[in-house]
Amino acid sequence: MKRKVLIILGWVCLWQLLAAVIHNDILMVGPLQVLSALFSMVRQPSFWISIISTMTRIIAGFLAGTMLGILLSWLAYEHSLVREILQPLMLFLKAVPVVSFIVLILIWAGGKWLAFLISMIVVMPIVYVNVLEGLTNTPAGLLEMAQVFRIPKKTVVRRIYSRSVRPYLVSALSLACGMAVKSGIAAEVVGQVRNTIGNGVYMSKVFLAIDELFAWTFMILVLSWLFEKAVTVLLEKAGKRL
Amino acid sequence: MIRISHLYKKYGQQVIYDDFSCTFEDGRKYLIAGESGIGKTTLLRMIASLEDCDSGSVDIEGEKTFAVVFQEDRLIEDMSAVENVRLVSPHLSEETARKELAELLPEEQLDKPVSELSGGMRRRTALVRAMLNDGRIIILDEPFAGLDEDNRRRALAFIDKKQNGRTVLLCSHEDDDLQEYLRIDLENREK
């Protein structure tokens, strides 16, 4: 732990040194300037409004994508025809660059729904593929045992499928958390949606305020980390109740 | 009554059953005997509706409910022996499940995840799970595998105690202590 802190401190010192060498606030700022920018930003209500507005949409999109991914993976597991129908769609969603969806959604639905829809589109195929993998890898012997002993479907889902799917879902969601935050904010930058983190990032570019850009980036990292932690804790709690 | 008529079953090119017929009467105990690979498990699986025959029929009169000890234990690894038993028989109280399991397993092992139990203890858990279930036909595929003589004797007594007039179909390599079981010898069938 001590070593880890020292390594991080080393990087921060290197960053400060680099900023001192470049000595140009438009190109590079040091950690102290970033902290100062962050302190002045957190005092403004618009900063918190932006965070709440962005994170609400991203979390809502994340939840919708997760639920849709789970639902579709279950349908695909139960019916091979559904799996075949969904396969090209999932390949399409994974292959098409996020920015193409951003532009399309901007045209179709406008900026209000952008972060929500983009994070849903990014999360859904990740959850779908992983949960389907977990369902497919459920031990056939246990399912046969459940069939023979006439265990109700609800109990089979809770006691057998969930145990098989859980590790796949945990790894999918921890990956999807970061992806949802990153792509949701990227969408806001492109769409210039007002009162959002993405708009804050965009404005810092317009006004060449690199200290604010770094401060926003730092906040995005913190929010992404907190989001992932919250999801992991919730999944652990849910796992213990099964 | 379980009536098997003109059963035909093959895997790939290997014919396992060819025009095989037999009958199992209700409430009796049967030993299905024969060498490894002769088709004992296949027969039990077809009776339990887990596998289809290629032709012929398996007819069961009355309620088609089964309680099975599979060749593998098929327990849920992170659940305890008590939880595994109650999973398939939710009507049992925890106290009853614990009491019955304690007849074959040490009490201090009952709350551990079954993944931490020895092979023999897991086998006995699978046996208790089947015998406490209310399936009308009890299918036991090598239920004594991995058990020492003393535990085998106790397991056999447990089967007798919990049979309650139900049909028992058991296959086992060793049959010295299974004299009271009606023997269906697959070695001496035509196929």
Side-chain angles (χ1 to χ4, degrees):
Chain A
M1 187 65 189
K2 201 177 162 191
R3 202 155 119 168
K4 223 174 175 178
V5 172
L6 282 175
I7 290 171
I8 291 169
L9 274 177
W11 279 108
V12 172
C13 288
L14 189 70
W15 174 17
Q16 181 65 57
L17 190 71
L18 194 69
V21 170
I22 294 172
H23 196 60
N24 183 338
D25 286 355
I26 292 174
L27 293 177
M28 176 63 109
V29 289
L32 294 174
Q33 284 162 285
V34 172
L35 266 183
S36 151
L38 192 62
F39 277 126
S40 65
M41 281 160 70
V42 295
R43 285 200 292 266
Q44 296 162 18
S46 61
F47 174 80
W48 298 106
I49 290 169
S50 298
I51 286 179
I52 291 168
S53 157
T54 295
M55 289 312 288
T56 309
R57 287 169 182 153
I58 288 174
I59 291 170
F62 174 86
L63 292 175
T66 302
M67 285 190 281
L68 195 60
I70 293 173
L71 180 73
L72 291 178
S73 62
W74 179 259
L75 289 173
Y77 173 73
E78 289 276 342
H79 311 282
S80 57
L81 180 64
V82 176
R83 189 189 301 208
E84 282 173 47
I85 291 169
L86 287 178
Q87 199 181 16
L89 174 70
M90 294 301 161
L91 284 174
F92 175 80
L93 289 179
K94 281 200 289 183
V96 172
V98 177
V99 74
S100 306
F101 286 118
I102 294 173
V103 175
L104 263 181
I105 291 166
L106 268 175
I107 295 167
W108 288 344
K112 199 179 168 189
W113 291 92
L114 193 59
F116 170 80
L117 289 171
I118 286 298
S119 82
M120 187 179 85
I121 286 170
V122 166
V123 169
M124 195 264 282
I126 301 174
V127 172
Y128 171 85
V129 169
N130 280 275
V131 172
L132 184 57
E133 182 84 5
L135 288 170
T136 314
N137 286 332
T138 305
L142 288 183
L143 295 176
E144 207 173 68
M145 180 276 291
Q147 180 197 333
V148 161
F149 282 108
R150 309 163 301 285
I151 301 177
K153 190 85 176 181
K154 201 173 140 192
T155 311
V156 176
V157 169
R158 198 167 155 218
R159 299 292 193 185
I160 297 177
Y161 282 116
S162 73
R163 280 172 161 77
S164 172
V165 164
R166 200 187 306 155
Y168 291 90
L169 186 63
V170 168
S171 84
L173 291 187
S174 60
L175 171 71
C177 283
M179 298 280 282
V181 172
K182 275 189 269 186
S183 48
I185 292 171
E188 289 173 345
V189 174
V190 176
Q192 295 172 43
V193 187
R194 291 186 63 174
N195 296 323
T196 61
I197 296 177
N199 196 49
V201 171
Y202 180 77
M203 286 305 167
S204 60
K205 178 225 153 194
V206 171
F207 296 112
L208 295 174
I210 298 296
D211 53 347
E212 282 188 16
L213 174 66
F214 275 51
W216 274 119
T217 308
F218 176 75
M219 270 319 291
I220 293 167
L221 287 175
V222 169
L223 289 169
S224 186
W225 180 79
L226 283 174
F227 185 30
E228 193 182 325
K229 280 283 157 205
V231 169
T232 312
V233 168
L234 283 174
L235 279 172
E236 270 173 23
K237 278 194 175 174
K240 277 180 193 157
R241 287 174 64 189
L242 290 172
Chain B
M1 184 182 286
I2 304 167
R3 191 173 290 113
I4 293 169
S5 314
H6 309 290
L7 195 71
Y8 183 87
K9 176 79 181 172
K10 70 172 185 173
Y11 286 118
Q13 294 304 311
Q14 193 188 357
V15 177
I16 309 287
Y17 288 99
D18 187 4
D19 201 27
F20 173 72
S21 299
C22 76
T23 303
F24 300 98
E25 284 174 31
D26 285 344
R28 310 292 294 268
K29 292 188 290 186
Y30 291 89
L31 168 68
I32 298 164
E35 288 291 302
S36 249
I38 200 155
K40 301 190 292 290
T41 298
T42 305
L43 181 64
L44 293 179
R45 287 179 62 79
M46 286 191 286
I47 292 170
S49 313
L50 295 173
E51 235 168 273
D52 293 326
C53 50
D54 296 327
S55 67
S57 63
V58 177
D59 297 312
I60 298 172
E61 282 174 15
E63 195 185 50
K64 273 175 85 173
T65 55
F66 306 94
V68 180
V69 169
F70 295 91
Q71 235 173 12
E72 319 80 29
D73 302 316
R74 301 197 186 182
L75 300 166
I76 297 186
E77 298 292 324
D78 60 345
M79 283 169 65
S80 68
V82 175
E83 288 169 329
N84 267 285
V85 165
R86 293 190 69 216
L87 177 71
V88 303
S89 306
H91 58 280
L92 288 179
S93 70
E94 189 180 327
E95 197 188 347
T96 309
R98 197 175 287 281
K99 198 175 116 234
E100 299 290 358
L101 276 160
E103 291 203 22
L104 294 186
L105 284 109
E107 267 187 76
E108 65 274 16
Q109 305 291 335
L110 300 185
D111 293 312
K112 286 183 182 173
V114 290
S115 58
E116 292 176 20
L117 303 185
S118 69
M121 285 186 206
R122 293 164 57 91
R123 202 69 191 141
R124 282 173 273 161
T125 304
L127 178 63
V128 174
R129 178 178 68 179
M131 295 311 298
L132 294 188
N133 185 260
D134 51 12
R136 203 174 62 85
I137 298 163
I138 301 168
I139 292 177
L140 308 173
D141 194 353
E142 300 288 352
F144 312 121
L147 301 193
D148 59 28
E149 206 174 308
D150 182 44
N151 277 314
R152 180 184 165 103
R153 192 171 37 75
R154 288 166 60 197
L156 197 53
F158 190 79
I159 295 170
D160 288 343
K161 186 178 160 192
K162 295 292 165 192
Q163 185 194 355
N164 295 332
R166 297 179 289 173
T167 311
V168 175
L169 309 178
L170 182 150
C171 71
S172 173
H173 278 102
E174 293 169 43
D175 53 10
D176 297 345
D177 49 0
L178 300 171
Q179 303 307 326
E180 60 178 282
Y181 281 63
L182 296 165
R183 194 181 170 93
I184 305 284
D185 201 339
L186 297 183
E187 296 284 354
N188 300 328
R189 73 184 197 272
E190 285 180 14
K191 222 342 172 170

